[in-house]
Amino acid sequence: MPISYHSSSKTFHLYNSHISYIMMVLPNGHLGHLYFGKALHDRESFEHLLELRNRSMAVCTFEGDLSFSLEHLLQEYPCFGSGDMREPAFDISMDNGSHISDFRYASHIIKEGKPPLPDLPHTFVDHDHQAYTLEITLKDTIMHTTMILSYTLFEQLPIITRHVCFKHEGNSPITLHKAMSLNLDLPDSHYELVELTGAWARERHVKVRPLEHGITAFGSKRGHSSSNFNPFMMLKRPHTTEISGEAIGISFVYSGNFLAQVEVDTYDVSRISIGIHPQNFSWTLEKNDSFTTPEAILAYSDQGLNHLSQQFHTLFLNHLSPKKWRNRPAPILVNNWEGTYFDFNEERIIDMAKTAKSLGIELFVLDDGWFGHRDDDTTSLGDWYPYLKKLPHGLKSLACKIKALGLDFGLWIEPEMISKDSDLYRRHPEMMLHTPQRHDSHGRNQYILDFSNPLVVDTIYHMLENTFKDVPIDYIKWDMNRSMSEVYSTALPAHQQGQVMHRYILGVYHLYERLIQRFPHILFESCSSGGARFDPGMFYYAPQAWTSDDTDAIERLKIQYGTSFAYPIRFMGSHVSASPNHQLHRFTPLKTRGDVAYFGTFGYELDVNQLSDEEKTIVIQQIEWMKEHRSLIQYGTFYRLSSPFEQDTCAWMVVSKDQNDAIVGYYRPLNKINSAYTRLPLLGLDPDKLYGINQTYHYGDELMHYGLITSDESSGLCEHEDPSYDYYSKIYVLKAKSLI
Ligand code: DGJ
């Protein structure tokens, strides 16, 4: 069993061949943290790692003992008010107004496998021996509350998942004001924080900052995980690179408000935590009520950031996203949004679909504007039945015509939203999330349904079910286009208003569950004004997400590169759009747009009938190429090679599991004059294999240590296949010799 409990020292050790995670029951009964990092030998006791030291002026637990202070110990799930002056992992008030708690070790169980988290997205295993779970029960006997800390160690991965469950057994209610999913105390602060930040259309840019004394934090209070910050962080040693050194990764399987923070105390101890944002959160537990936090993921690498990212990619592909879609490459789609916006009718859509089919496209996605009487973004959200002015024969007829062409049919919905100009609002204004007597702020002219109320979720479910049940729908794009404001549920009493934002997200998850159960064949793609809900919570239901509303190939380099820190290529919706680009108004070659979009789900976001014959020929070739290579691209091992945040080029590659095949994407946005010689060292190849690239052969060691010569591409003097010298890209396909 890779989880051991040594009763003589009351020590827990979770370990596999990659990592060790060690905790012990402290003399006061609380749980102390001893170690997280590279695997250590197991032994009867790790007590010697507990540093008890007299420190003047510390608040101490035991009378006559100046060495035991919660302020100076690494702790597993710290409380506030009994000596530890740092940020607590939780905050509970009793009905006498006290916020003091005292959770002491009571028992534990160790089991094979990984139990599911009820009503919440979570990682899972296919067989019990893929993971082992430790559940530690701590009790506060004054409060009559139990806290269960759950840890699952994945046998083959340097990964532990965690969550916490509070169960209240007392007669007087308690209120949870804060309940983080993970706390990790590290003994030093020689780390840099890597985070993914941005805004609409420039999501998940990589930012690195050193840790300082005090708190470094980011999060979302917007009701969705947001395009501004992602529920993900890495802590890397200052010398750690993409290919070497130590780093810790933390991710949060949740789609709503979150807080991610690192506190460094003045003894240089780092306290990391992630969980539901405490702002606007409070949860009262009556006798026999319980509350379970969402799941957090903790990963470790001593082989650099690429390796750490790959661990998340493996976990997410094999243990998070729906099993049904595992190892199934994304269908190549065309989405009409940037091609038509709201300006379409059945005839135009059918014409586009016919052309799409002739180009080799597999799935036609009808985006926003097909329902209610929606001609712009001011109306109809909530009226999920076809707009007969645009689709006079209804949705079923359109879908059947598209299917008859040999294409799959996909549809856009935004089920959490309501327009004031809608039948739903006219009938049920109370279904809107709003604070009575207060002004309602809108976002993109729309308002939000109160998904914290199960009746509202049920209403939307039935409307969608009714619309979908006779229509041959293969794919749904589920959008969510605004942040929340004036949050209040008229369906809940005053003392439960702090539950609304979490209940809302549970409502979203519940609707996903129901729709997936009712329509198991549908492939879901999540979307939120582009990439504002690109989080592990969503990937539990939808194996792909629209990465960004920014479809400009050059901007996408940064967005996709940054996204790859946490998420696999298979998850990233990436489409070729028109030139000039609609967001940046930049002209880029069709080749470059394709070369960037290949590293994602791949598709088109334009009116295919506007393409010239020459462009159609290129598109046909692109689609054929992607069909041949998409399994490798979407399921191979992904490596970042050259960062667009640090260099004037960008490069990445994927390598097949058997190291026989690899594909490199190389991008040089701006041309350079008389430039230096450049080489691109590749990664992940077999040093002993001879790889063919464009009729020349190189051993893997040469490609990895000398590198691929890219000087020609950046000299400004070479012959180009594209008229533009800027926005240059090149794809290299490598095949091991015996296979050529
Ligand atoms: C935002 C999405 O990100 C776009 O792709 C498109 O679906 C629009 N919404 C439609 O309103």
Side-chain angles (χ1 to χ4, degrees), residues 189-252:
S189 64
H190 303 304
Y191 291 99
E192 290 173 342
L193 175 69
V194 182
E195 57 187 312
L196 305 177
T197 78
W200 174 80
R202 55 174 173 83
E203 296 87 345
R204 290 173 299 287
H205 282 205
V206 179
K207 283 271 182 307
V208 183
R209 46 177 163 156
L211 297 184
E212 306 283 358
H213 286 169
I215 292 175
T216 307
F218 60 92
S220 168
K221 300 189 280 295
R222 296 167 173 269
H224 51 161
S225 49
S226 90
S227 45
N228 307 71
F229 296 99
N230 196 263
F232 174 80
M233 62 173 140
M234 284 179 173
L235 287 165
K236 71 177 204 56
R237 297 293 188 187
H239 60 266
T240 295
T241 67
E242 282 283 14
I243 53 170
S244 69
E246 199 179 34
I248 289 170
I250 289 168
S251 167
F252 190 37

Side-chain angles (χ1 to χ4, degrees), residues 472-503:
I473 295 176
D474 302 288
Y475 159 109
I476 287 287
K477 177 179 173 187
W478 178 322
D479 208 343
M480 194 281 188
N481 279 305
R482 63 161 290 190
S483 301
M484 293 185 190
S485 59
E486 292 91 25
V487 173
Y488 186 94
S489 172
T490 49
L492 287 172
H495 75 280
Q496 283 188 292
Q497 292 303 322
Q499 303 183 357
V500 176
M501 294 185 103
H502 182 54
R503 281 189 188 274

Side-chain angles (χ1 to χ4, degrees), residues 337 342 367-368 374 412 444 477 479 481 527-530 546 549 605:
W337 178 241
F342 294 103
D367 209 279
D368 194 354
R374 188 144 159 114
W412 178 97
R444 203 201 186 202
K477 177 179 173 187
D479 208 343
N481 279 305
C527 174
S528 181
S529 321
W546 187 221
D549 272 346
E605 181 97 12

Side-chain angles (χ1 to χ4, degrees), residues 44-61:
E44 272 306 303
S45 171
F46 288 97
E47 242 173 317
H48 51 279
L49 299 181
L50 185 71
E51 279 187 83
L52 294 179
R53 213 193 289 178
N54 286 9
R55 287 212 188 255
S56 305
M57 302 307 153
V59 172
C60 298
T61 304

Side-chain angles (χ1 to χ4, degrees), residues 129-385:
H129 60 263
Q130 286 180 329
Y132 296 84
T133 297
L134 165 66
E135 289 173 357
I136 304 177
T137 299
L138 301 118
K139 281 185 189 292
D140 184 319
T141 51
I142 305 291
M143 201 183 269
H144 301 291
T145 306
T146 296
M147 174 199 277
I148 301 169
L149 305 181
S150 292
Y151 301 81
T152 296
L153 172 70
F154 281 79
E155 167 97 273
Q156 302 290 334
L157 295 168
I159 288 181
I160 290 172
T161 61
R162 294 174 51 175
H163 68 273
V164 182
C165 179
F166 295 88
K167 290 185 176 164
H168 184 54
E169 287 124 31
N171 291 324
S172 313
I174 58 165
T175 300
L176 273 172
H177 303 276
K178 178 179 185 182
M180 303 305 273
S181 296
L182 168 150
N183 180 88
L184 178 67
D185 284 359
L186 296 171
D188 70 83
S189 64
H190 303 304
Y191 291 99
E192 290 173 342
L193 175 69
V194 182
E195 57 187 312
L196 305 177
T197 78
W200 174 80
R202 55 174 173 83
E203 296 87 345
R204 290 173 299 287
H205 282 205
V206 179
K207 283 271 182 307
V208 183
R209 46 177 163 156
L211 297 184
E212 306 283 358
H213 286 169
I215 292 175
T216 307
F218 60 92
S220 168
K221 300 189 280 295
R222 296 167 173 269
H224 51 161
S225 49
S226 90
S227 45
N228 307 71
F229 296 99
N230 196 263
F232 174 80
M233 62 173 140
M234 284 179 173
L235 287 165
K236 71 177 204 56
R237 297 293 188 187
H239 60 266
T240 295
T241 67
E242 282 283 14
I243 53 170
S244 69
E246 199 179 34
I248 289 170
I250 289 168
S251 167
F252 190 37
V253 188
Y254 193 59
S255 312
N257 289 352
F258 74 94
L259 173 66
Q261 73 178 27
V262 186
E263 178 181 20
V264 179
D265 71 15
T266 49
Y267 302 92
D268 290 343
V269 172
S270 304
R271 170 165 292 176
I272 303 158
S273 62
I274 200 160
I276 293 178
H277 205 297
Q279 175 75 44
N280 265 16
F281 171 83
S282 69
W283 205 281
T284 298
L285 300 180
E286 307 281 349
K287 189 175 175 133
N288 297 327
D289 282 351
S290 63
F291 180 83
T292 302
T293 71
E295 180 168 290
I297 300 167
L298 181 60
Y300 173 82
S301 167
D302 62 347
Q303 296 161 56
L305 303 186
N306 259 320
H307 182 257
L308 187 56
S309 296
Q310 288 159 8
Q311 308 315 306
F312 281 104
H313 298 174
T314 304
L315 181 83
F316 290 162
L317 287 172
N318 298 330
H319 302 284
L320 177 74
S321 83
K323 219 168 150 180
K324 179 177 168 68
W325 302 102
R326 191 184 296 169
N327 293 324
R328 282 171 67 173
I332 296 173
L333 64 79
V334 63
N335 178 305
N336 71 308
W337 178 241
E338 287 196 20
T340 66
Y341 296 104
F342 294 103
D343 182 19
F344 63 83
N345 56 24
E346 181 181 307
E347 199 188 338
R348 186 165 178 202
I349 293 297
I350 298 286
D351 277 353
M352 286 170 81
K354 282 182 186 155
T355 307
K357 177 67 189 167
S358 72
L359 299 173
I361 284 168
E362 297 164 319
L363 164 66
F364 188 94
V365 180
L366 180 61
D367 209 279
D368 194 354
W370 61 267
F371 52 92
H373 61 281
R374 188 144 159 114
D375 287 314
D376 56 37
D377 63 17
T378 60
T379 80
S380 304
L381 293 165
D383 296 348
W384 300 111
Y385 33 82

Side-chain angles (χ1 to χ4, degrees), residues 415-430:
E416 300 152 64
M417 297 294 148
I418 185 164
S419 307
K420 286 199 173 170
D421 179 1
S422 68
D423 293 343
L424 183 66
Y425 185 78
R426 281 182 282 273
R427 277 199 320 269
H428 293 293
E430 79 289 353

Side-chain angles (χ1 to χ4, degrees), residues 407-472:
L407 287 164
D408 282 346
F409 177 68
L411 192 67
W412 178 97
I413 54 172
E414 196 177 3
E416 300 152 64
M417 297 294 148
I418 185 164
S419 307
K420 286 199 173 170
D421 179 1
S422 68
D423 293 343
L424 183 66
Y425 185 78
R426 281 182 282 273
R427 277 199 320 269
H428 293 293
E430 79 289 353
M431 286 194 175
M432 190 176 106
L433 204 58
H434 69 287
T435 305
Q437 299 165 328
R438 298 279 176 204
H439 169 77
D440 307 318
S441 305
H442 73 94
R444 203 201 186 202
N445 301 305
Q446 65 194 50
Y447 301 86
I448 305 183
L449 284 167
D450 180 5
F451 262 43
S452 74
N453 180 355
L455 285 178
V456 174
V457 177
D458 199 51
T459 305
I460 297 300
Y461 170 76
H462 285 296
M463 208 186 309
L464 292 174
E465 202 232 358
N466 199 35
T467 303
F468 293 179
K469 69 179 187 308
D470 301 321
V471 182

